Amino acid sequence: MFFRWDWLQPQLTAPIVPTLGHIHPDALTVGIFEDILRAAETGDFLPYDKNRRWGGEKDEKVLREDVVHQPEHTLIPTLIPRGRGTVKVFAYGLPDSVTDEAAELAAKLAARHDVVNARVVRPLGPETAHPHGTRIQLKDFTAGPCPAPDGPVRRVTDWPTAVQETFAPFAKAMAAEGLAFLHARVQEGHCGPVLTASVKNRIVGAIGPMEIRPDAIRRPQLMPQYFAVLPEARGQGLGRLLWRAAMHWGQSHGAAYQLLQTEVGGPSDRLCLSEGLTSLGFSHTTHV
């Protein structure tokens, strides 16, 4: 075993794992850290990797030989060769000095692997004052009912044909939010249903795909979705309707929970906080 759990566990201020992202706190074990080291050797997706559903090959791997594991801090670097390349160093440890050491390692590894981008990812606990970056939030479907909202939300395939045809231009307009990618997957028939909101026979919002997969401890997890509303349609409560419809779908199809990552202070962050989700911590990324 590479990692000493008595060293690593006290350093885990938020449930973030390199190459996997945020996970349920109950799945945060030494075994999952050992798994990402083994996956670095094979290049394969782990069975519970949420990105496995998109197919292809895993494009981020741990640089196993460069891991720094000490009683006070742990640095786990990863490499993404795609595009101009990115090195990330995940910095676990309570002293703020861990960020500086991680930045030094990230710069060194970026030069060694001839990639352009070097970043430090610092997990921070939910008690962090004045947080920035992204917040990890938990929706627990076992805590209470998620009723279906009353509003103009349906699966995209349940609308009349004329309305369905407006999904393509909507997706194109919201390409920056991932909707063009989602639309392509829908056309290929390679993903779960997409929930959409329509105003005056025109799709103006969407959330999806709706899919449930087992996590590292075999608990059914509602997978992350792409989520967007056209700027001109915001302020009407459509985002909340879509989100509640997604939560109803997840609960009614047997999911135990969903994890969401939201930009601190952004619209989705404020929505989730107002809906009573549990904050599990933060992830702050620094460009070196």
PDB file of all heavy atoms in Angstrom, residues 71 105 108 116 144 163 193 202 214 217 220 255 257 266 273 287:
ATOM      1  N   PRO A  71       3.756  13.087   6.484  1.00  0.00           N
ATOM      2  CA  PRO A  71       2.777  13.190   7.575  1.00  0.00           C
ATOM      3  C   PRO A  71       1.972  14.483   7.560  1.00  0.00           C
ATOM      4  O   PRO A  71       0.787  14.482   7.927  1.00  0.00           O
ATOM      5  CB  PRO A  71       3.653  13.100   8.837  1.00  0.00           C
ATOM      6  CG  PRO A  71       4.869  12.358   8.408  1.00  0.00           C
ATOM      7  CD  PRO A  71       5.109  12.775   6.992  1.00  0.00           C
ATOM      8  N   LEU A 105       6.206  22.286  -7.600  1.00  0.00           N
ATOM      9  CA  LEU A 105       6.182  20.963  -8.230  1.00  0.00           C
ATOM     10  C   LEU A 105       5.457  21.019  -9.572  1.00  0.00           C
ATOM     11  O   LEU A 105       5.907  20.415 -10.557  1.00  0.00           O
ATOM     12  CB  LEU A 105       5.512  19.960  -7.298  1.00  0.00           C
ATOM     13  CG  LEU A 105       5.366  18.528  -7.834  1.00  0.00           C
ATOM     14  CD1 LEU A 105       6.729  17.912  -8.145  1.00  0.00           C
ATOM     15  CD2 LEU A 105       4.600  17.660  -6.829  1.00  0.00           C
ATOM     16  N   LYS A 108       7.688  22.532 -12.250  1.00  0.00           N
ATOM     17  CA  LYS A 108       8.762  21.608 -12.616  1.00  0.00           C
ATOM     18  C   LYS A 108       8.243  20.490 -13.525  1.00  0.00           C
ATOM     19  O   LYS A 108       8.874  20.160 -14.548  1.00  0.00           O
ATOM     20  CB  LYS A 108       9.384  21.020 -11.352  1.00  0.00           C
ATOM     21  CG  LYS A 108      10.539  20.060 -11.623  1.00  0.00           C
ATOM     22  CD  LYS A 108      11.141  19.525 -10.336  1.00  0.00           C
ATOM     23  CE  LYS A 108      10.226  18.502  -9.689  1.00  0.00           C
ATOM     24  NZ  LYS A 108      10.866  17.850  -8.506  1.00  0.00           N
ATOM     25  N   VAL A 116       1.891  23.223 -21.461  1.00  0.00           N
ATOM     26  CA  VAL A 116       1.773  24.672 -21.291  1.00  0.00           C
ATOM     27  C   VAL A 116       1.186  25.060 -19.941  1.00  0.00           C
ATOM     28  O   VAL A 116       1.602  26.048 -19.330  1.00  0.00           O
ATOM     29  CB  VAL A 116       0.924  25.266 -22.441  1.00  0.00           C
ATOM     30  CG1 VAL A 116       0.615  26.743 -22.193  1.00  0.00           C
ATOM     31  CG2 VAL A 116       1.646  25.084 -23.767  1.00  0.00           C
ATOM     32  N   GLY A 144     -35.703  13.374   2.375  1.00  0.00           N
ATOM     33  CA  GLY A 144     -37.071  13.866   2.251  1.00  0.00           C
ATOM     34  C   GLY A 144     -37.530  13.794   0.813  1.00  0.00           C
ATOM     35  O   GLY A 144     -36.734  13.536  -0.102  1.00  0.00           O
ATOM     36  N   VAL A 163     -41.586  21.886 -31.266  1.00  0.00           N
ATOM     37  CA  VAL A 163     -40.839  22.350 -30.096  1.00  0.00           C
ATOM     38  C   VAL A 163     -39.499  21.613 -30.013  1.00  0.00           C
ATOM     39  O   VAL A 163     -38.450  22.212 -29.718  1.00  0.00           O
ATOM     40  CB  VAL A 163     -41.657  22.152 -28.810  1.00  0.00           C
ATOM     41  CG1 VAL A 163     -40.851  22.594 -27.589  1.00  0.00           C
ATOM     42  CG2 VAL A 163     -42.963  22.927 -28.897  1.00  0.00           C
ATOM     43  N   PRO A 193     -32.154  10.616 -20.731  1.00  0.00           N
ATOM     44  CA  PRO A 193     -33.070  11.684 -21.138  1.00  0.00           C
ATOM     45  C   PRO A 193     -32.593  13.058 -20.710  1.00  0.00           C
ATOM     46  O   PRO A 193     -31.836  13.209 -19.751  1.00  0.00           O
ATOM     47  CB  PRO A 193     -34.381  11.307 -20.444  1.00  0.00           C
ATOM     48  CG  PRO A 193     -33.990  10.412 -19.314  1.00  0.00           C
ATOM     49  CD  PRO A 193     -32.771   9.684 -19.773  1.00  0.00           C
ATOM     50  N   ARG A 202     -40.915  27.199 -27.564  1.00  0.00           N
ATOM     51  CA  ARG A 202     -39.471  27.286 -27.839  1.00  0.00           C
ATOM     52  C   ARG A 202     -38.715  26.839 -26.604  1.00  0.00           C
ATOM     53  O   ARG A 202     -38.980  27.330 -25.497  1.00  0.00           O
ATOM     54  CB  ARG A 202     -39.100  28.726 -28.198  1.00  0.00           C
ATOM     55  CG  ARG A 202     -37.613  28.976 -28.386  1.00  0.00           C
ATOM     56  CD  ARG A 202     -37.384  30.457 -28.623  1.00  0.00           C
ATOM     57  NE  ARG A 202     -35.957  30.792 -28.626  1.00  0.00           N
ATOM     58  CZ  ARG A 202     -35.445  31.868 -28.078  1.00  0.00           C
ATOM     59  NH1 ARG A 202     -36.237  32.754 -27.463  1.00  0.00           N
ATOM     60  NH2 ARG A 202     -34.151  32.113 -28.149  1.00  0.00           N
ATOM     61  N   PRO A 214     -23.586   3.439 -10.185  1.00  0.00           N
ATOM     62  CA  PRO A 214     -23.068   3.155  -8.841  1.00  0.00           C
ATOM     63  C   PRO A 214     -21.735   3.848  -8.606  1.00  0.00           C
ATOM     64  O   PRO A 214     -20.898   3.949  -9.511  1.00  0.00           O
ATOM     65  CB  PRO A 214     -22.907   1.632  -8.838  1.00  0.00           C
ATOM     66  CG  PRO A 214     -22.757   1.259 -10.284  1.00  0.00           C
ATOM     67  CD  PRO A 214     -23.584   2.244 -11.045  1.00  0.00           C
ATOM     68  N   ILE A 217     -18.658   2.772  -3.674  1.00  0.00           N
ATOM     69  CA  ILE A 217     -19.162   1.858  -2.645  1.00  0.00           C
ATOM     70  C   ILE A 217     -20.530   1.311  -3.037  1.00  0.00           C
ATOM     71  O   ILE A 217     -21.328   0.918  -2.196  1.00  0.00           O
ATOM     72  CB  ILE A 217     -19.191   2.538  -1.263  1.00  0.00           C
ATOM     73  CG1 ILE A 217     -19.956   3.861  -1.299  1.00  0.00           C
ATOM     74  CG2 ILE A 217     -17.774   2.760  -0.755  1.00  0.00           C
ATOM     75  CD1 ILE A 217     -20.113   4.522   0.058  1.00  0.00           C
ATOM     76  N   PRO A 220     -26.149   4.112  -5.500  1.00  0.00           N
ATOM     77  CA  PRO A 220     -26.611   4.719  -6.751  1.00  0.00           C
ATOM     78  C   PRO A 220     -26.540   6.246  -6.712  1.00  0.00           C
ATOM     79  O   PRO A 220     -27.140   6.881  -5.842  1.00  0.00           O
ATOM     80  CB  PRO A 220     -28.050   4.228  -6.889  1.00  0.00           C
ATOM     81  CG  PRO A 220     -28.481   3.881  -5.499  1.00  0.00           C
ATOM     82  CD  PRO A 220     -27.244   3.423  -4.788  1.00  0.00           C
ATOM     83  N   ALA A 255     -32.017   6.969  -7.154  1.00  0.00           N
ATOM     84  CA  ALA A 255     -30.722   7.520  -6.752  1.00  0.00           C
ATOM     85  C   ALA A 255     -30.716   7.799  -5.255  1.00  0.00           C
ATOM     86  O   ALA A 255     -31.734   8.201  -4.677  1.00  0.00           O
ATOM     87  CB  ALA A 255     -30.419   8.796  -7.528  1.00  0.00           C
ATOM     88  N   TYR A 257     -28.273   9.925  -3.962  1.00  0.00           N
ATOM     89  CA  TYR A 257     -27.764  11.279  -3.779  1.00  0.00           C
ATOM     90  C   TYR A 257     -27.281  11.835  -5.107  1.00  0.00           C
ATOM     91  O   TYR A 257     -27.132  11.103  -6.098  1.00  0.00           O
ATOM     92  CB  TYR A 257     -26.609  11.297  -2.769  1.00  0.00           C
ATOM     93  CG  TYR A 257     -25.341  10.639  -3.278  1.00  0.00           C
ATOM     94  CD1 TYR A 257     -24.329  11.400  -3.882  1.00  0.00           C
ATOM     95  CD2 TYR A 257     -25.138   9.272  -3.171  1.00  0.00           C
ATOM     96  CE1 TYR A 257     -23.178  10.806  -4.369  1.00  0.00           C
ATOM     97  CE2 TYR A 257     -23.988   8.671  -3.636  1.00  0.00           C
ATOM     98  CZ  TYR A 257     -23.010   9.438  -4.244  1.00  0.00           C
ATOM     99  OH  TYR A 257     -21.877   8.845  -4.720  1.00  0.00           O
ATOM    100  N   GLY A 266     -22.177  32.134  -7.764  1.00  0.00           N
ATOM    101  CA  GLY A 266     -22.854  32.114  -9.049  1.00  0.00           C
ATOM    102  C   GLY A 266     -24.318  31.725  -8.917  1.00  0.00           C
ATOM    103  O   GLY A 266     -24.778  31.316  -7.842  1.00  0.00           O
ATOM    104  N   LEU A 273     -27.866  26.494  -2.610  1.00  0.00           N
ATOM    105  CA  LEU A 273     -27.898  26.892  -1.205  1.00  0.00           C
ATOM    106  C   LEU A 273     -29.323  27.183  -0.752  1.00  0.00           C
ATOM    107  O   LEU A 273     -29.727  26.815   0.359  1.00  0.00           O
ATOM    108  CB  LEU A 273     -27.009  28.120  -0.988  1.00  0.00           C
ATOM    109  CG  LEU A 273     -25.493  27.887  -1.098  1.00  0.00           C
ATOM    110  CD1 LEU A 273     -24.744  29.206  -1.015  1.00  0.00           C
ATOM    111  CD2 LEU A 273     -25.006  26.933  -0.016  1.00  0.00           C
ATOM    112  N   HIS A 287      -3.584  29.009 -11.135  1.00  0.00           N
ATOM    113  CA  HIS A 287      -2.754  28.841 -12.320  1.00  0.00           C
ATOM    114  C   HIS A 287      -1.328  29.284 -11.978  1.00  0.00           C
ATOM    115  O   HIS A 287      -1.108  30.388 -11.492  1.00  0.00           O
ATOM    116  CB  HIS A 287      -3.303  29.676 -13.485  1.00  0.00           C
ATOM    117  CG  HIS A 287      -4.642  29.195 -13.961  1.00  0.00           C
ATOM    118  ND1 HIS A 287      -4.819  28.500 -15.139  1.00  0.00           N
ATOM    119  CD2 HIS A 287      -5.869  29.291 -13.399  1.00  0.00           C
ATOM    120  CE1 HIS A 287      -6.102  28.204 -15.282  1.00  0.00           C
ATOM    121  NE2 HIS A 287      -6.750  28.670 -14.241  1.00  0.00           N
TER     122      HIS A 287
END
